[in-house]
Amino acid sequence: MSRASDLAYETIRAKILSGELAPMTQLKEEELAEMCGVSRTPIRDALRRLEADMLVRRTDTQRTFVPDWSPEEVEEIFTLRMLLESHAAARAARFVTAEEIEMLRSYTDLIGRAIEKPDFDSLTFVENNRLFHNLILSIAKSDRLAKIRGMIVEQGILHRTARHYDRVGLRRSHADHEELLLAFEARDEAWASAIMAGHILRAYHVTMREYASPPIEADVETAEGAMANSEEG
């Protein structure tokens, strides 16, 4: 691949994942070429790669769009992810080293800082969440599992999910990561698997809010008041 093609791919991909290119946006080669500062040939190469990644869709009339996932597709993606990642978490509890736990902790700390910023830093949250989950897959020592997991595309969905968490939900998600670290330190495969399954199911239900309501503002006072009244441990 040429440098121009790589630049176009990374630029368009980043704008899709951040939500700047919203679902159902038509992607026109001439507009993308201007946006990326390249010719139309690298744009065509980039769009083919993005289509293979399932980050764009091409219609029968050869028009290209950012996909808008249906509720059924979202359910399938999260169901598969829950099955695969809970299994990966169990394997990771068996194989994880002290150094790898510290790497996971560093990602968790960055996620926590992103959550506590006055203006929630969704990009940092999603990126370090991705690194955290990818490292667990690596620790699980299963090329087959990693390959299958890599076929499940949900990064665009995760950016949209992050915008629907309130501050309470963000902190609960962060607490799941902290508890996973405890499970890994204890080498408890069943505990790690259960926490991961619940973590992803919570994210699924938050994601489904997109189909029923506008994004929730992560208001500190409202969220902290709700947290004080919550009975969830």
Side-chain angles (χ1 to χ4, degrees):
M1 292 292 176
S2 68
R3 291 182 61 185
S5 177
D6 289 341
L7 172 63
Y9 171 81
E10 294 296 340
T11 301
I12 299 167
R13 181 179 182 276
K15 290 182 181 296
I16 291 171
L17 295 182
S18 69
E20 186 174 340
L21 290 172
M24 297 311 295
T25 299
Q26 183 177 355
L27 302 175
K28 299 178 180 179
E29 290 182 5
E30 60 273 18
E31 293 177 357
L32 294 174
E34 182 177 354
M35 179 180 73
C36 298
V38 299
S39 68
R40 292 176 63 172
T41 298
I43 294 296
R44 294 189 192 103
D45 289 339
L47 289 177
R48 280 193 288 268
R49 292 167 66 185
L50 291 163
E51 186 177 11
D53 291 345
M54 297 177 66
L55 287 174
V56 305
R57 285 179 176 167
R58 196 181 303 272
T59 68
D60 293 339
T61 58
Q62 298 304 301
R63 291 190 298 172
T64 303
F65 289 86
V66 178
D68 188 17
W69 303 100
S70 70
E72 293 76 19
E73 288 173 310
V74 172
E75 180 182 14
E76 182 179 45
I77 286 169
F78 275 97
T79 298
L80 292 172
R81 188 177 168 212
M82 179 191 67
L83 293 170
L84 293 169
E85 293 205 35
S86 60
H87 178 58
R91 287 182 59 89
R94 187 188 317 165
F95 298 119
V96 69
T97 66
E99 292 78 11
E100 288 165 337
I101 288 175
E102 286 308 306
M103 290 177 66
L104 290 168
R105 194 181 310 281
S106 69
Y107 297 140
T108 298
D109 289 345
L110 288 170
I111 289 169
R113 292 175 199 167
I115 290 169
E116 297 305 328
K117 286 185 177 180
D119 294 323
F120 169 51
D121 185 351
S122 65
L123 292 177
T124 297
F125 175 89
V126 171
E127 176 62 12
N128 284 281
N129 185 78
R130 180 184 69 81
L131 292 169
F132 182 92
H133 286 270
N134 283 354
L135 181 53
I136 290 174
L137 281 169
S138 176
I139 295 167
K141 299 185 186 300
S142 171
D143 292 341
R144 183 179 295 107
L145 178 60
K147 184 174 182 179
I148 295 171
R149 173 63 181 82
M151 296 171 65
I152 302 173
V153 177
E154 85 301 315
Q155 288 302 311
I157 291 174
L158 287 181
H159 277 267
R160 292 159 70 178
T161 299
R163 296 198 299 271
H164 281 74
Y165 272 112
D166 57 15
R167 195 65 62 98
V168 174
L170 291 167
R171 288 172 176 161
R172 286 173 179 161
S173 177
H174 183 246
D176 288 343
H177 284 202
E178 296 279 8
E179 190 166 356
L180 273 168
L181 293 177
L182 294 176
F184 290 153
E185 289 173 341
R187 305 280 180 176
D188 193 317
E189 297 178 31
W191 185 11
S193 177
I195 293 301
M196 182 65 83
H199 178 67
I200 292 174
L201 281 173
R202 179 183 293 120
Y204 163 69
H205 287 289
V206 170
T207 300
M208 293 307 292
R209 294 177 188 170
E210 172 125 355
Y211 297 91
S213 64
I216 295 172
E217 294 294 332
D219 179 78
V220 176
E221 291 184 5
T222 300
E224 290 183 345
M227 181 177 285
N229 295 325
S230 173
E231 296 180 357
E232 179 167 333

